[in-house]
Amino acid sequence: MPATATEERAEALRMIRDSAAVVVPPDGGLGRVRGLRFTLPGIDPAVWRSMGAMGWIGLRLPEEAGGAGLGMAEACALLEELGRALVPEPLVAGALSARLLAAGGDTALLPALLAGESLVLTAWQQSADSLEAPGDREGARLFIPMAAAAQAFLLPVREGGALALYAVEGVRPETRRTQDGGHVGSLLPDLAAARRVAPNVGEAMALALDEAALGTAAYLLGLMERCFAMTLDYLRQRQQFGKPLGSFQALQHRAADLKIQLVLTRASVEGAAAELDAGATGDARRALVSRAKARAAEAAMRVTREAVQLHGAIGYTDEYDIGLFLRKAMVIANAFGSAALHRARYMRCASHPGAA
């Protein structure tokens, strides 16, 4: 019998998950991640090129723009797998830049970015915990992820009632370390040295930020699921008083609570991705994304913190991998909006989800 549309979509999602094996070790080892911590540029350029070769950077772009033309469900499935392996390469941020360059019709930076031959990052954020680009001409641009690895930066700038896009190359941002061993950068826009890419990318910017927030939620989902699985393995193997730790009812109850968090987060992320692929726009899209991101951010912090506690004293040592998941969650839970920001945005948008 011919495959149904549902079966075909499930197979496509399975294939995109399997493709993550290009950058994820078969045994799930975190040696590469550990080797890149607290170094600059903090990523492996060869891995970034592999991501480009696999079409991941332009996964959401239409084929006529050089992308793969796939949906948010595929993007989230891929990012889950990267979250399981704590992959440090900034795929979410790179895809955001690709979205803006494609919207602006750029032919100078986009091809190399999509191929993974360069990294272009968008310097849009000017204050902590935000999901809008103010676009001040002179305001410092902050919290640029893995900024030392970028060859170029995009600068959204308010011009009249539009959000213009500029590109600047060859600048060195200031960087500071983050808890997970990565870094963020900041820079002051110098429009005299920048090239104007497009006169108005306002709609593309709003969509790109929503997709980035949902993609980050998917990364957090993969991260916490791997962290939870490692914790269950530990509870089954570790003995106390002649019994596995997992046999104690109090610990079983804690594990069950964490499993509920995972199930609810998956439902929110997958539901939002499906609705975006079905054409959700405006406040409906924003509400869906915010619900998923708020839940993922809170659940990731709870799951990773309790995982460290359930591992006992060994969980607090840097040599033991479980702590890497908590550190990563601490850094990216607030990326593209904290849980508090998204709860507030959900309340505003869910009251009239049909608005454009």
Side-chain angles (χ1 to χ4, degrees):
M1 294 178 61
T4 66
T6 300
E7 291 171 338
E8 291 177 352
R9 191 67 187 276
E11 177 63 13
L13 293 176
R14 185 194 64 78
M15 291 177 65
I16 198 73
R17 290 181 186 277
D18 290 346
S19 73
V22 171
V23 301
V24 176
D27 63 353
L30 298 174
R32 185 181 79 88
V33 173
R34 285 188 173 277
L36 289 170
R37 288 198 308 161
F38 304 116
T39 66
L40 292 178
I43 72 168
D44 184 343
V47 169
W48 186 247
R49 286 193 295 272
S50 294
M51 290 182 168
M54 293 296 293
W56 294 352
I57 302 168
L59 187 145
R60 290 284 292 128
L61 297 185
E63 293 181 10
E64 57 268 26
L70 297 180
M72 241 358 260
E74 285 83 0
C76 287
L78 173 62
L79 286 162
E80 278 182 45
E81 298 304 313
L82 300 187
R84 294 179 196 276
L86 303 182
V87 170
E89 284 72 24
L91 181 59
V92 169
L96 186 155
S97 295
R99 169 72 74 183
L100 297 182
L101 289 170
D106 176 82
T107 58
L109 293 175
L110 183 58
L113 171 61
L114 294 179
E117 296 298 329
S118 71
L119 174 59
V120 181
L121 296 174
T122 302
W124 62 274
Q125 194 167 356
Q126 293 183 238
S127 61
D129 199 15
S130 61
L131 198 64
E132 295 181 354
D136 294 343
R137 297 184 68 87
E138 298 179 355
R141 307 305 175 90
L142 311 172
F143 308 115
I144 308 167
M146 310 306 283
Q151 287 74 48
F153 296 91
L154 301 182
L155 302 170
V157 178
R158 292 286 171 189
E159 294 182 347
L163 186 67
L165 187 68
Y166 287 80
V168 60
E169 301 179 61
V171 299
R172 289 181 174 271
E174 295 184 5
T175 62
R176 60 182 179 84
R177 291 179 174 180
T178 52
Q179 282 279 351
D180 62 342
H183 66 275
V184 293
S186 60
L187 59 83
L188 289 172
D190 181 7
L191 298 185
R195 173 176 64 88
R196 195 168 189 257
V197 175
N200 189 7
V201 293
E203 289 187 9
M205 186 84 236
L207 175 59
L209 288 174
D210 276 345
E211 291 185 346
L214 185 54
T216 302
Y219 187 103
L220 287 167
L221 173 59
L223 176 158
M224 67 177 102
E225 284 194 333
R226 170 85 184 280
C227 181
F228 181 66
M230 292 170 63
T231 302
L232 290 185
D233 287 343
Y234 180 82
L235 294 177
R236 293 187 188 106
Q237 296 170 12
R238 179 69 174 175
Q239 298 277 326
Q240 191 171 51
F241 306 119
K243 297 180 181 180
L245 283 175
S247 67
F248 294 98
Q249 193 173 60
L251 299 186
Q252 291 175 359
H253 289 169
R254 291 178 69 179
D257 287 343
L258 298 183
K259 179 64 175 178
I260 291 171
Q261 294 297 316
L262 295 175
V263 171
L264 293 174
T265 302
R266 175 167 293 284
S268 291
V269 171
E270 291 185 348
E275 291 294 331
L276 264 63
D277 288 341
T281 59
D283 278 338
R285 182 188 75 209
R286 288 185 278 271
L288 289 160
V289 169
S290 286
R291 182 179 65 184
K293 180 57 165 61
R295 180 166 291 282
E298 290 189 333
M301 290 307 304
R302 179 174 177 182
V303 170
T304 54
R305 282 172 173 163
E306 294 217 18
V308 169
Q309 294 174 11
L310 288 168
H311 276 78
I314 195 171
Y316 290 87
T317 63
D318 188 67
E319 293 77 13
Y320 205 73
D321 284 346
I322 200 68
L324 299 181
F325 290 83
L326 172 59
R327 293 181 180 91
K328 179 66 76 173
M330 291 171 65
V331 170
I332 68 169
N334 291 337
F336 300 102
S338 68
L341 179 147
H342 281 285
R343 280 197 303 271
R345 193 175 81 144
Y346 175 81
M347 293 299 294
R348 290 196 305 271
C349 297
S351 60
H352 43 97

